Amino acid sequence: MILFRSLLYQVFLIASTLLYSIAVLMVGSNDSDRIVGRLGRHWGYANLWALKHLCGLDYRVQGIEHLPTQPAVVLCKHQSAWETIALRAFLPMQQSWVLKQELTKIPFFGWALARFKPIPIDRSAGRREITKLIREGTMLLDAGRLVIVFPEGTRVAPGMRHSYGVGGALLAERSGRPVVPIAHNAGVFWGRRSLLKRPGMIDVVIGPAIETQGRKATEINALTEAWIETTVSGLPAA
């Protein structure tokens, strides 16, 4: 039954992504940021609704009062595909994501993704891409957007640890913007390379902003990692 429900949701995900991608690509230039942001949020909530009703997979958010009201760097735990859907729904609409540049080349989905002003990164390019992240990220923050970074760089299974890349922390240091850390246990229910979505309740915790003024990137990164990993360790593992 779990497999059947998961397959039904997968069909919904693919179909909704294609339809919303086409809708995003049809948006004209007038007030496009606002309309594209709303479409992205609606896609996120539509998929969260489908996960609840098709797979029995729901979520709850603690620390909603910590949602940023100003431009900030959001550093989020990366365990699953779930958070790439959910953050689009419940974070403020004007978001720019740091992501693999290969994603922007996928027909329709990638073309639409480019309308959300992401920062595509070639992870093999090293320091040059860090410079790009800081330059473009600062411009986007100054334009009033959130910059979303998964500091682990890849999905990490529950109970495992992966080093946190310093790119997001460097952006926060250079721009002077706060870091908002987010922890969750989505990987317990939707594995990093799994089709199956187990029923249950995903816990998301949004932490208090970490001020970056006067702090080096290494300190910002260490504070963020300690808060996220400590919080994740206290969330249900089943």
Side-chain angles (χ1 to χ4, degrees):
M1 182 61 73
I2 290 177
L3 176 59
F4 177 68
R5 288 173 176 266
S6 298
L7 286 170
L8 280 180
Y9 172 70
Q10 200 68 23
V11 171
F12 181 93
L13 174 61
I14 293 169
S16 66
T17 300
L18 178 59
L19 289 172
Y20 278 92
S21 295
I22 292 170
V24 166
L25 291 170
M26 292 176 65
V27 173
S29 58
N30 292 335
D31 207 16
S32 61
D33 278 359
R34 181 177 61 86
I35 298 171
V36 166
R38 284 184 176 179
L39 285 168
R41 171 172 283 183
H42 198 277
W43 170 83
Y45 275 123
N47 275 274
L48 291 174
W49 177 91
L51 281 166
K52 178 179 179 179
H53 291 279
L54 293 177
C55 301
L57 181 55
D58 205 354
Y59 72 100
R60 58 193 169 201
V61 182
Q62 303 174 51
I64 202 76
E65 68 276 10
H66 298 140
L67 278 176
T69 58
Q70 60 176 317
V73 180
V74 175
L75 299 184
C76 181
K77 183 69 178 174
H78 201 15
Q79 288 187 345
S80 168
W82 181 86
E83 57 269 22
T84 66
I85 295 167
L87 297 186
R88 180 60 66 186
F90 60 71
L91 289 183
M93 289 188 295
Q94 299 305 307
Q95 309 171 20
S96 291
W97 293 48
V98 177
L99 46 79
K100 296 182 293 185
Q101 66 177 9
E102 293 87 349
L103 293 175
T104 62
K105 299 175 183 178
I106 299 172
F108 294 103
F109 170 74
W111 305 336
L113 198 58
R115 298 292 301 273
F116 290 91
K117 299 184 178 179
I119 305 175
I121 295 295
D122 177 1
R123 292 190 293 185
S124 66
R127 184 176 296 274
R128 186 181 67 206
E129 293 298 270
I130 293 292
T131 302
K132 175 184 176 181
L133 167 59
I134 295 169
R135 182 182 67 252
E136 295 187 10
T138 300
M139 291 173 59
L140 291 163
L141 289 163
D142 289 344
R145 302 178 71 86
L146 298 179
V147 175
I148 317 294
V149 183
F150 295 112
E152 292 159 297
T154 188
R155 285 172 281 184
V156 179
M160 304 295 290
R161 294 285 293 265
H162 195 282
S163 61
Y164 279 44
V166 77
L170 273 171
L171 172 59
E173 177 198 326
R174 301 290 176 83
S175 67
R177 303 289 184 175
V179 164
V180 176
I182 298 181
H184 61 85
N185 61 347
V188 171
F189 305 95
W190 183 349
R192 58 193 293 259
R193 290 194 178 98
S194 177
L195 173 68
L196 299 180
K197 289 85 176 169
R198 294 175 50 216
M201 182 70 69
I202 294 171
D203 282 291
V204 182
V205 186
I206 302 171
I210 298 171
E211 294 302 325
T212 61
Q213 297 284 347
R215 285 177 166 150
K216 295 294 186 182
T218 50
E219 181 185 1
I220 296 167
N221 215 33
L223 288 169
T224 302
E225 181 174 1
W227 186 90
I228 290 177
E229 294 300 328
T230 299
T231 304
V232 167
S233 69
L235 297 177

